[in-house]
Amino acid sequence: MFICFFILKSATTWGQAPSWKWGPKNPDGSYDIYFTGSGGYKIRNMGFGTSSPIAPITFPSILGNKISLWNYGKTHFGLGIGPALFQIFTDRIGSDFAFGYGSSDNFTETVRIRGNGNIGIGMKDPGFPLNFASTAGDKISFWGNSGVSYGIGVQSLLLQIHTDIHTSDIAFGYGSSKHFNENLRIKGNGNVGIGTSSPTERLTIAGGSTPGLLFTSGPGFTYGIIKFGTIDHYIKSGVVGGMELYDNSSIRLMASKTLSFSTDNFRDTSQSKELMTILNNGNIGIGTTKPGAPLSFASYVGAKILLYGDSALNFGLGIQNYLLQIYTSGKNSDIAFGYGSSAAFTETMRIKGNGNVGIGTKDPGDYKLAVEGKIGAREVEVKSGPWPDFVFDKKYTLRTLQEVEDFISTNKHLPEIPSEETVKKEGINLGNMNALLLQKIEELTLYVIDQDKRIKAVEKENAILREKVNQH
């Protein structure tokens, strides 16, 4: 049996201990000690290991275990003192603390502290450092005892952070409650202010050294999303620190008079360069602030529209020396005209990179103009080579008609005129053919003149013969 000696401090006389006696033996083999106040004595302060108790129960000022509620070994449920630390402990990490009401054998638990440090309010098995029972309603009240309050609650799968009334706000910041530096406020009406405590719109961002919005992308994503209504608007960071704004449907920018796009210094507009302007009449100016047509460019020579390619070789339109240019990237690239669309294109005319033009054909070959079909014109001017006036030169040797007949009999076509087979295979050159035909007409004219001379000579001879016959 372990006997603990202590000194009792009387309410009236110091150093005089009251009488005590053993009680009956308990069922577990222990005894109770009863103190009596005979002679007017009653117990005031008790000292365990100290002769100068200054409280109803006083322990000596040494570190270590003070009260053991269960178990006598090194590990137990009890109270102790560490270096500047009051300790309430269990025997091991698997044992817990519970707070509640009733009695030890009729206990209603309200709070539990697990051996691992997790605290459960209204639950016995907290899985987090602070856990509440899985019931809807208020969880934490920072101000107010019941009903409306400043606190945190849960309702219908919704985490709520609330104030007491709609004119009260929620603020985020740093410092302390007394010395608070606010950087974000949610008004009771739902308006959010960043850098301002008086937001007038659903989201108000006050200016500062670094104003604006920052969107960052997580793994697998390269864009941020702003959603208005049911439409997603995407913001993407460019490869050189720029920004892309795009949408699944449409993006609408509005201005009362002029909508302009600029670069350079947005803080100092005197250093900014306005690149594109849209007037309220719909005219768009690129490089000019006063577009006089639905699409206007700055008045300087050079490339104007780039349809494909880079700054060096591309398909596009440009201006040089009072000349409108439509060009491809190289001499092996062509320009085509037609109808339909880019993906479903029906070509009607092509200009080859070498300058040859095909109408109704994609391959004009070596011809400057190749037409697959009929050509209608009121006047055609052909500039050709040598004209066959050499036929009338006295040095020109005109074939005899017999020679012509022999050639036709052998070749089945006139001399110098292409055969039917050649025309079918190679076609004809209008200028050359007209010159050849004129040559044949001129040759035929010479034949006719010669025949006329011969006829006149015969007629003269016949007249002489007739005169002689008449004389006889």
Side-chain angles (χ1 to χ4, degrees):
M1 178 182 297
F2 174 75
I3 299 177
C4 178
F5 292 96
F6 50 84
I7 297 177
L8 304 178
K9 198 171 194 181
S10 172
T12 57
T13 306
W14 291 93
Q16 296 180 358
S19 60
W20 59 276
K21 65 179 181 178
W22 293 103
K25 186 175 182 180
N26 295 314
D28 60 357
S30 64
Y31 292 90
D32 296 328
I33 299 177
Y34 293 90
F35 295 91
T36 62
S38 58
Y41 295 104
K42 59 181 179 180
I43 301 172
R44 185 175 181 183
N45 293 347
M46 291 188 296
F48 292 84
T50 176
S51 59
S52 302
I54 59 174
I57 298 177
T58 303
F59 293 89
S61 297
I62 56 175
L63 302 180
N65 297 328
K66 297 299 181 179
I67 297 177
S68 176
L69 301 176
W70 188 86
N71 204 349
Y72 299 108
K74 292 183 178 179
T75 58
H76 54 271
F77 292 73
L79 288 75
I81 299 293
L85 179 65
F86 176 59
Q87 302 163 324
I88 301 175
F89 48 82
T90 61
D91 60 339
R92 51 193 170 85
I93 193 172
S95 300
D96 305 337
F97 296 94
F99 300 85
Y101 60 90
S103 63
S104 178
D105 56 356
N106 186 23
F107 185 67
T108 300
E109 182 177 329
T110 57
V111 178
R112 175 171 294 218
I113 303 177
R114 298 300 308 272
N116 60 6
N118 290 355
I119 300 175
I121 298 177
M123 65 181 311
K124 297 181 179 180
D125 189 18
F128 298 94
L130 180 60
N131 231 149
F132 292 86
S134 298
T135 56
D138 294 329
K139 296 298 180 177
I140 299 175
S141 175
F142 297 106
W143 188 88
N145 294 327
S146 62
V148 295
S149 64
Y150 290 74
I152 300 175
V154 174
Q155 288 288 354
S156 302
L157 304 180
L158 177 67
L159 174 64
Q160 303 163 321
I161 302 175
H162 53 81
T163 60
D164 57 341
I165 53 177
H166 73 279
T167 56
S168 300
D169 305 337
I170 299 172
F172 299 83
Y174 61 94
S176 64
S177 177
K178 188 176 181 181
H179 302 286
F180 186 66
N181 294 280
E182 179 178 331
N183 49 39
L184 185 146
R185 177 174 292 220
I186 303 176
K187 298 288 292 182
N189 60 7
N191 289 357
V192 178
I194 300 176
T196 175
S197 60
S198 302
T200 57
E201 308 297 333
R202 283 304 181 191
L203 177 60
T204 302
I205 301 176
S209 58
T210 56
L213 296 172
L214 172 64
F215 292 89
T216 59
S217 302
F221 294 91
T222 60
Y223 55 83
I225 298 177
I226 301 177
K227 195 162 192 172
F228 298 98
T230 59
I231 301 176
D232 291 339
H233 303 269
Y234 302 87
I235 296 179
K236 182 179 180 181
S237 176
V239 295
V240 292
M243 184 189 77
E244 299 175 8
L245 178 63
Y246 55 101
D247 203 325
N248 283 337
S249 56
S250 63
I251 296 175
R252 185 180 183 187
L253 303 176
M254 294 187 295
S256 60
K257 293 184 179 180
T258 302
L259 180 63
S260 63
F261 298 84
S262 304
T263 58
D264 296 334
N265 197 327
F266 70 92
R267 290 190 175 94
D268 184 359
T269 55
S270 64
Q271 299 181 25
S272 298
K273 183 179 181 181
E274 189 168 326
L275 300 180
M276 187 171 78
T277 300
I278 302 177
L279 301 181
N280 57 2
N281 63 1
N283 288 359
I284 300 174
I286 299 177
T288 175
T289 59
K290 297 179 180 180
L295 180 61
S296 299
F297 293 86
S299 297
Y300 58 81
V301 298
K304 296 296 180 178
I305 298 178
L306 175 64
L307 300 175
Y308 180 87
D310 54 29
S311 59
L313 297 174
N314 55 69
F315 293 72
L317 287 79
I319 299 289
Q320 287 288 355
N321 300 325
Y322 302 101
L323 177 66
L324 173 62
Q325 303 162 321
I326 302 175
Y327 51 84
T328 62
S329 60
K331 66 179 182 180
N332 295 324
S333 301
D334 305 337
I335 298 173
F337 300 83
Y339 61 90
S341 65
S342 177
F345 185 67
T346 300
E347 182 177 326
T348 56
M349 189 177 83
R350 176 173 295 218
I351 302 175
K352 299 289 291 182
N354 60 8
N356 293 353
V357 179
I359 299 177
T361 176
K362 296 180 180 180
D363 186 11
D366 295 331
Y367 301 103
K368 286 300 179 183
L369 176 61
V371 179
E372 181 64 40
K374 296 180 179 180
I375 298 177
R378 295 187 181 277
E379 183 177 340
V380 177
E381 181 179 340
V382 179
K383 294 183 178 181
S384 184
W387 204 237
D389 289 346
F390 56 83
V391 173
F392 300 129
D393 194 313
K394 292 182 178 181
K395 296 180 180 181
Y396 181 72
T397 302
L398 183 66
R399 288 184 178 90
T400 66
L401 289 176
Q402 185 61 49
E403 290 175 333
V404 173
E405 181 183 4
D406 293 341
F407 185 90
I408 292 174
S409 177
T410 302
N411 298 285
K412 303 299 185 293
H413 62 86
L414 289 172
E416 285 87 32
I417 300 298
S419 66
E420 180 182 3
E421 182 180 354
T422 301
V423 171
K424 286 182 178 180
K425 183 178 180 181
E426 300 178 3
I428 61 173
N429 185 305
L430 289 179
N432 292 339
M433 180 55 67
N434 283 339
L436 289 172
L437 292 176
L438 179 59
Q439 179 181 339
K440 295 308 169 185
I441 292 173
E442 290 177 343
E443 289 177 348
L444 182 59
T445 300
L446 292 177
Y447 288 128
V448 171
I449 292 173
D450 182 66
Q451 290 298 319
D452 182 64
K453 289 179 179 180
R454 290 175 182 273
I455 291 171
K456 286 181 178 180
V458 171
E459 288 179 344
K460 185 176 181 180
E461 290 178 356
N462 287 338
I464 294 173
L465 290 175
R466 281 197 297 271
E467 183 179 352
K468 288 181 178 181
V469 169
N470 289 335
Q471 289 177 355
H472 291 83

